[in-house]
Structures are given as C-alpha cells and as structure tokens.
Amino acid sequence: MVRLPGRPETRPPRPFGVPRAPQGPRREGSGANGGRPGVLRSAVTGRSVAGQVFLLQVVIVLLLVVSAVVAQVLQVQHDSNREARNRSLAVAETFANAPGTAAALRAPDPTAILQPKAEAARKGSGVDFIVVMDTDGIRYTHPKPDRIGKKFVGTVGPALAGGTVIEEVHGTIGELVQVVVPVKDAGGKVVGLVSAGITTAHVGGTADQQLPLLLAAAAAALVLATAGTALVSRRLLRQTHGLGPYEMTRMYEHHDAVLHAVREGVLIVGGDGRLLLANDEAQRLLDLPEDAEQRHVLELGLDDETAGLLASGRVATDEVHLVKDRLLAINQRPTDLRGGPPGSVTTLRDSTELRALSGRAEVARERLNMLYDAGVGIGTSLDVARTAGELAELAVPRFADFVTVDLFDAVLNGEEPRPGTALRRAACSGIRGDAPLYPVGERIRFVATSPQARSLTTGQSVVEPVLRAAPGWLAQDAERTEQVVAYGIHSLITVPLRAGSLVLGLANFWRSEKPQPFDAEELALAEELVARAAVSIDNARRYTREHSMAVTLQRSLLPRSVPEQGALEIAYRYLPAHSGVGGDWFDVLPLSGARVALVVGDVVGHGLHAAATMGRLRTAVHNFSALDLPPDELLGLLDELVGRIDQDETPADGAAAVVGATCLYAVYDPVSRHCTLARAGHPPPALVHPDGRVEFPDVPAGPPLGLGGLPFETADLELAEGSRLVLYTDGLVEDRDRDIDVGFDLLCDALRRAPDASPEDTCRAVLDRLPNRPSDDIALIVAKTRVLGAGRVAEWQVPSDPAAVSQVRSSVTRQLAVWSLDELSFATELILSELVTNAVRYGRGPIGVRLLRDRALICEVSDGSTTSPHLRYAASTDEGGRGLFLVAQLADRWGTRYTPNGKIIWAEQPLP
C-alpha cells in the first residue's frame, strides 16, 4: 500500500470520495454523534445523501397519494355511470313490460292512465324521469306536465327496431344517463317507447367519504419517511466521521487494488512538481525508475515535452505524446479546483494500436472511395483510348505515382485482340510529365522475361517489388530501364485487362515517391480497379466495332463522287455523328437537257436501320429522277414509298420503325437559269448571290415523308450566273446546345464572310464554324451555277407539215458546221428526221427543235401532245415502226420528259 507523504501513520489519509470532517468545534446536540435536530437539518436541506433520500421518499409518497386519489375518483365515476345505466335500464324495462302499459298506449287518453303510474314509479325507483312516448317520439308522460305532448330529445331509432338505446347526455339537470326501450304488444310489435334517466351525481358520493382516509394515510406515510430518513442520515454520518481501523484498512486495500488494476496510467503530482503516486500502468508506459515517487518529474528521464506537461499542472485533454515507441493520450486536471491540495492528477492511455487501427481503417476507406470513383468515373465515354486514360488519371496519385495502359492495336480499332502481337501505349498519367516511360502511341513488343509478357501469357497479375533487382524487367530495354530506375521508379504492378476470356492489354502501376514497395493488399486493389476498367474498355471496343461497321455501311450507300455535268460547280461534305450513324444523304443527278438535280435528305433515327433505309430512298430517288418528274411529283412518290416501308416492316427486338424522313429536291436548268425546288419537312436552302447577299428562299414546307395527306408545292427561282445554292441537313444548324435560329445565323455569317469563294472554300468555311464532334450527321452541298450561253443553244419552230423535215435537216447541218461537229451531221439528221416526222404525224403543234452543245450533243423535239412514243421491234414485213429503234441505236441515251404544255423527246450523242 502506498503511503502519502506529510501525514502521520496513526491517521491514514482521507480516501477518494469520503467527505472532509468538520474542522470547527463541536456543539452539544450536533455533529456525528449529536442529537436529532442536526440530523433533521441535514436531511431537510437536501445537501447530504440522507436529505436527497428524504426528498425522494416525500415525492414518492405524494405521487402515490395523488395516484390513489385520482384512481379512486375515476373508479367512483365509473361505478356511478355503471350504476346509472343499470338502474335506468331496469326501471325502463320494468315499466315497459308492466301489465297494462301496452294497453294504455292504445287507450284514447294514454296520458291520463300512464302519467300517475310513471310518477309513482319514478319516485319509488329514485330515477329523475320516466317518459312514455308513442312510436313517433311524442311524450305521454313527463315529470314536468308542460312537456307532455312534445317530442322526445334523444335517440329512438334502435328502440323502434326492437333494440335498447343507452346514451350519456348533458341535459338541463346535468350529466345523466338515459335509456330508451320498446313497449311491445302480445304479437311482439313495438307500440310505444319508455325512457328512464338519472343524473350521475345522484348515484355518487363515495369519493367524498374515502378522501379523508387517503389524506390520513398520506400524512402517516410522510411521518414514517421522515423517521426513516433520520435513521439513514445518522448512520451515514457516523460511517464517514467515525471509521474504525478495520473499515479504513479495507477501504485502502480496495482503493489500492482498483488503482493498480486499471489499464490506464494514473499519476498524482504535488504542487511542488514531485511525483506523489504512480500506478503500475503508469510506471510501465513511462518506464519510470523504481524510486520515482518523491522525485521531481523533470528528473524521471522523460522527454522534455511530456515532463514539461506534468510539471506545469495545466489542463490537458487527449494530448498525444510520443514516449519511447508509444503514442500516449494524456489527460490532466488540477486537484485544487474545489479546495483540495495543490497539484494535478494525470491519466495516460496507450493509443499506439488504436492509431494503427485507425490508419488501416482510413486506408480501407480511401480504397473504397477509389473503387466507387472508378465505378462512376471510368467508362463515361465509348472511346477506348479515353476510357484507358480515365483509368490512368484516377489512380494517380491516389494509388500510384505513374500509370500506363497498353492495348492491342486490334482493340483500339474495335476488333478482338490477337495474342502474340505488339501492344500500343494508349494512356499514360503521372505526378510529373518527364518520366522516361514509353510515350503514348508507342508500339511496344515486350520480351518474354518481362513481367508484362508473363502477365499476358498467364493472364495473372505480376508484382515486381524492386525493379532494380528484376532481371526480367531490366532485359526489356537496357537503356530505358536504366533511365527509369535512375529516375526513382522502384516498384511495379502489372495487371492484365481481362474481359471474359479476352485479354485486351495491360495496366502498369509504377511507384517512385513512397519508399515501400507494392504489397499484396495493393495488388488486390489494383486488380479490382483494372477489372472495372476492363469492362468499360471492352464495351467501348464493341461500340467502336459496331460504329465502324455502321459508318462503313453508310458511306458505301453515299455517292463516292459526283457525276460530271456542266450546269453546276459542285462541292460537298459528309460528317458522321459523334455517336451512332444517321440517315443523312445527298446526291447530284444529271437530267436530260443539260439540267441537274440536287437532293439532300435525312431519315429519322440513327443506327443501321436508318442507314439501310437511307440507301433505299437514295435508290428510289435515282429511279424516280430517271422519269424526269417535277420535284413535287417526285416527293409524292417518295412519300408513298416511306409510308409503305413503315406499314410493311415490323421492327424486330423492340427496335423503332422508320417514322419518316425529310428531303429537299432541286432541279437547275442552265439554259433558262431557272431552279425548281420542293421540300418535305427539310430546312430551306441558302442562296448566296454573286454580290455576297445571303438569303433563305421561301420554299413551301411540305410535311415529312411518310406522313401523307398533304400535297407538295414547288418554288421557282431565277439564279444569276455565279450564284451559290447551299443545301444541307438539319445537323448543320441544329444542336442540343443551341437554338436553331442561332444555327441559321452562324450559317449566314459563314456564307457572308466568303462572297467570292469557290464551292470547296465555302464548304470549308461553313464547317470551320461547327463544333469538333457534331451530335448529328451533316450532309452539305454547295453548287455554283453556270449558264449555257446562247452560242451553245439553237432552236427552231417547225410547222406541222412533213415537208418541213428537210428544212430542219438543212438548218441542223449548218449549225453543226458552225460548232465544228460535221462528224455528227449524218446521225443527227437521221435522229431529227425520225423525231420530227413522229411529232408531225402523231403529235400536235406547236412543234419545236432545240440543239444543245454541252458535254454531249443534245437533240430535243417538243410538241403539244402528252402521248409518249414506245420503242418497237418491227418485223421484216412491217412498213414502219423502225424510227425509234434507229434513234436508240444512234444515240447514247434517249427518253421523254413531260412539260406543262406537252412533251419533249430527247437524244444525246457523245462529242467527237
């Protein structure tokens, strides 16, 4: 047992928790062994345990008394209500079933018979009223005669049905219980009602008789509580101030056992800085010498910071100090706050293991956060290289100092990887940008002994804790690996990017700043990160493959080059969307008479189905344009075609059907400089005049193709030579991030900035103002108009007379001589002779002949008939029918087109 200094051995020190004895002189009748008044004073004040016990007992007794009174009152009320119900029900049923009651209700004057009986029964039974009434609730009896003949106030419905009504109401005489019972005749029919009631106050009164008894019991309980408290207080005071040797020894033994058994160190330092007490745990934690007690804390060999804290006596709460190899949490409080001796009490707690556990928990939490961030941050796009870069950026610097991702070239192109081929560095991220690692884009072939090659071969992760001592890795590239080691990179984890049975590449994690090598826990984290990234990379690879296939299909359906023609100078662009493929298309179609048709269209939706539908529509436009139909009629045929596609085809696997398409069709005639346009739900074209003015012609907007129901209208424009007609799809002017009006303004601005530009330069200027990755397909055609001058056109009017054919031949021969085309005179004369003869014979006037010298020699014969000639193969005995056959043999192409005033039969011959 530790003895505190400064106190004689015959009087042991006051233990913790024992109140200090009074220091003043004792007075008669007070103190520990004094009379009862001191005890009562201590109890009444409530400052001692006895006083608190006394107050607690008084409160308990008062609560019991109040509870008993309340319970008694409630019980009395309950009994009163039950008694009132029973008495009222008994009186009502007795009166209702009394002999003569049912007969009296049928008498001429029931009141005269029943009123005396009801009053006599009321007085005899002690109820407040007995009311007899008919089935309508009209009273026959009542204690107050003036209320006879009036309607009863209460519920009578259940009683009329043969039941009983018991209800509590607030009447003029107070709270009462009334009962309504039926009066039945011999046949069980209800002939009247009887109601009896009594106020609850008339059946009470028991509570007033029992309340004095309760109060007397409460007073007796208070007296007994006071006496008991006095006895307890006297015993407590005697135990605290009159402890015997045995009791004091036992108290000190318990105090010493507890003090030295706790797992916290306890130090008591006096006001002079000397150590008064140190338990076993404190001696172990601080490694104190055996004679530490009574020595100054600065002489105990502690570190300056900890010794200074113990000597200062200041308040400290959970201050962490490094003592030897332990982290100690120190709490310190002074002992003189409430009149105690000067000094301080200090507790010590070893938090080394707790800090280590907390550090491991923090590391685990950070790893969980990293895995969560990997789930939401890797795979945000369907780009293989971008996904690889997201993995590298996520792991630096949270997990590794440098991260590189190497993929097979086939993976980058969307194909399945081919083992045995070289890898290409797809991503690289690090805390610095000057690391001597292979750069992005470098093609790498790993040697068989390298950890990367072993990981690819086995499909397992490889850890190289010390790169300087890894001969397999050093053999990869002696010069570069030496630079990597010299740079400070000392540890490596290589993890294969596995997606199912496919190994897409490798992820390499390099460490340079942290001196410890990678361990098994970090390897598991790296594998988890790479597993999540591999799924995203494989998804991006599959998307790249499907997107490439769709783009390839779409480009195969678009024109690879525009046909040669002399009416327009053409430039075009096609840009696929950033994600998916659409149904945008364009075409340039030479027509008869040196005319050219321009078409742009857009199928609603994206994907392979939209691209295939676009190919079908483009083929249909080719076929319809061969018929030389006006733009509005051609769009009408396309509208029917799209409608049939929607009706006849049932989408598979929940895919969306084609719900329409848009189209703009324009025909330009270089002779008349007229351009005829029609559009079906498509944006209007832009027209750039030779002087640089930009406008959007007012072309009637028809409904999109496939809706049907409304006709299409055309617009006729006369274009000056050198005008630029710009046709486009909605992806050029419409985007998710801007309004379509803003797109039109940007297009106007781009066209206005290049007034004299060529079509090629115009395309470049327009697309330069677009975002790098359009969200929708874009098809763009810029056509600069040319004019077929009068020197290259010859026209004649022919009378409806067969003799005029010879004159036409002569005129044509002279014109061909002027154009230096004498070699074509014979064939041209023969073609025109047949065509003009057919027009004179089968057609009607006016008849005209026109020669056009363009890239070919074009012969046209027009008349006012709409009957189309047909090619026939005449028999050897036929006299006619060989004219069109000769025309077909002499001309490269021939055909018929209809005009508002008739038809034109034309034939083309190549120029020599």
Side-chain angles (χ1 to χ4, degrees), residues 72-92:
Q72 184 65 26
V73 171
L74 293 177
Q75 182 65 35
V76 170
Q77 290 180 352
H78 175 72
D79 294 343
S80 298
N81 287 339
R82 185 172 58 183
E83 176 66 21
R85 286 170 176 261
N86 295 338
R87 187 184 301 181
S88 299
L89 179 61
V91 171

Side-chain angles (χ1 to χ4, degrees), residues 52 97 161-162 220 265 305 312 338 344 451 456 508 528 576 580 604 611 626 664 689 706 768 775 832 837 906:
Q52 295 175 0
N97 297 323
E305 185 178 359
S312 66
R338 296 182 180 179
S344 61
L456 289 174
N508 305 294
E528 182 69 20
V604 175
L664 172 62
H689 293 275
D768 285 345
S775 59
L832 285 176
T837 300
W906 54 271

Side-chain angles (χ1 to χ4, degrees), residues 91-102:
V91 171
E93 289 182 342
T94 301
F95 195 88
N97 297 323
T101 302

Side-chain angles (χ1 to χ4, degrees), residues 261-582:
V262 295
R263 289 298 304 275
E264 286 192 358
V266 178
L267 299 175
I268 300 178
V269 179
D272 56 355
R274 295 183 179 277
L275 179 63
L276 302 180
L277 175 67
N279 67 348
D280 295 342
E281 185 68 9
Q283 292 180 357
R284 184 184 70 83
L285 294 176
L286 298 178
D287 195 16
L288 298 176
E290 294 183 359
D291 59 345
E293 294 184 0
Q294 302 302 321
R295 294 175 59 181
H296 200 280
V297 293
L298 299 179
E299 302 173 356
L300 300 178
L302 302 175
D303 61 278
D304 296 341
E305 185 178 359
T306 305
L309 172 62
L310 297 177
S312 66
R314 63 179 177 83
V315 176
T317 302
D318 287 337
E319 287 192 11
V320 179
H321 290 254
L322 179 62
V323 179
K324 301 295 191 296
D325 57 345
R326 297 185 179 94
L327 288 174
L328 302 182
I330 300 178
N331 291 275
Q332 184 169 277
R333 296 291 185 274
T335 58
D336 57 354
L337 293 178
R338 296 182 180 179
S344 61
V345 176
T346 305
T347 60
L348 311 172
R349 185 174 67 256
D350 189 355
S351 62
T352 305
E353 295 182 358
L354 182 62
R355 287 302 178 101
L357 181 60
S358 176
R360 288 194 296 270
E362 181 66 22
V363 171
R365 186 182 65 83
E366 174 61 24
R367 291 180 177 177
L368 288 176
N369 289 338
M370 189 185 307
L371 292 177
Y372 172 78
D373 293 342
V376 299
I378 298 177
T380 58
S381 67
L382 291 174
D383 183 84
V384 176
R386 176 58 188 158
T387 305
E390 289 171 347
L391 169 62
E393 293 169 2
L394 175 74
V396 175
R398 300 167 67 177
F399 178 68
D401 299 319
F402 299 92
V403 177
T404 58
V405 180
D406 306 323
L407 301 174
F408 290 102
D409 284 334
V411 174
L412 294 171
N413 297 328
E415 303 296 331
E416 290 190 0
R418 294 186 292 273
T421 60
L423 282 77
R424 190 175 300 276
R425 181 135 295 174
C428 180
S429 180
I431 57 176
R432 293 184 296 274
D434 57 347
L437 300 171
Y438 288 114
V440 174
E442 181 82 9
R443 187 177 176 85
I444 309 169
R445 185 177 294 277
F446 293 102
V447 298
T449 58
S450 65
Q452 290 86 352
R454 285 186 283 136
S455 180
L456 289 174
T457 303
T458 62
Q460 303 296 323
S461 303
V462 177
V463 180
E464 288 291 354
V466 182
L467 289 177
R468 186 181 295 275
W473 177 77
L474 294 173
Q476 171 64 32
D477 184 343
E479 181 179 357
R480 186 177 293 275
T481 54
E482 184 63 29
Q483 294 175 356
V484 170
V485 172
Y487 187 79
I489 298 176
H490 60 83
S491 189
L492 166 66
I493 292 179
T494 296
V495 183
L497 285 158
R498 297 179 59 90
S501 60
L502 300 178
V503 177
L504 309 177
L506 295 168
N508 305 294
F509 301 89
W510 312 81
R511 174 170 286 176
S512 63
E513 296 294 319
K514 189 176 179 180
Q516 294 83 2
F518 287 113
D519 55 23
E521 292 185 1
E522 291 169 325
L523 173 61
L525 176 60
E527 290 176 340
E528 182 69 20
L529 284 175
V530 173
R532 301 191 180 201
V535 175
S536 299
I537 292 176
D538 189 55
N539 290 338
R541 177 191 67 83
R542 294 173 182 268
Y543 171 79
T544 302
R545 180 185 61 187
E546 294 177 1
H547 182 67
S548 300
M549 293 172 57
V551 170
T552 301
L553 172 63
Q554 187 181 36
R555 289 191 178 277
S556 67
L557 297 175
L558 291 172
R560 299 184 180 182
S561 62
V562 297
E564 294 185 357
Q565 43 79 35
L568 297 170
E569 181 184 353
I570 301 290
Y572 63 91
R573 292 288 190 277
Y574 174 77
L575 297 180
H578 170 55
S579 59
V581 295

Side-chain angles (χ1 to χ4, degrees), residues 1-5 7 12-18 243 246-264 266-268 276-281 293 335 345:
M1 185 172 63
V2 180
R3 180 177 57 83
L4 298 179
R7 298 179 183 266
R14 177 175 54 88
F16 296 109
V18 177
L243 292 176
Y246 173 77
E247 293 176 341
M248 183 64 71
T249 300
R250 187 175 60 178
M251 182 177 294
Y252 265 95
E253 289 176 350
H254 292 170
H255 167 267
D256 189 66
V258 172
L259 182 65
H260 293 282
V262 295
R263 289 298 304 275
E264 286 192 358
V266 178
L267 299 175
I268 300 178
L276 302 180
L277 175 67
N279 67 348
D280 295 342
E281 185 68 9
E293 294 184 0
T335 58
V345 176

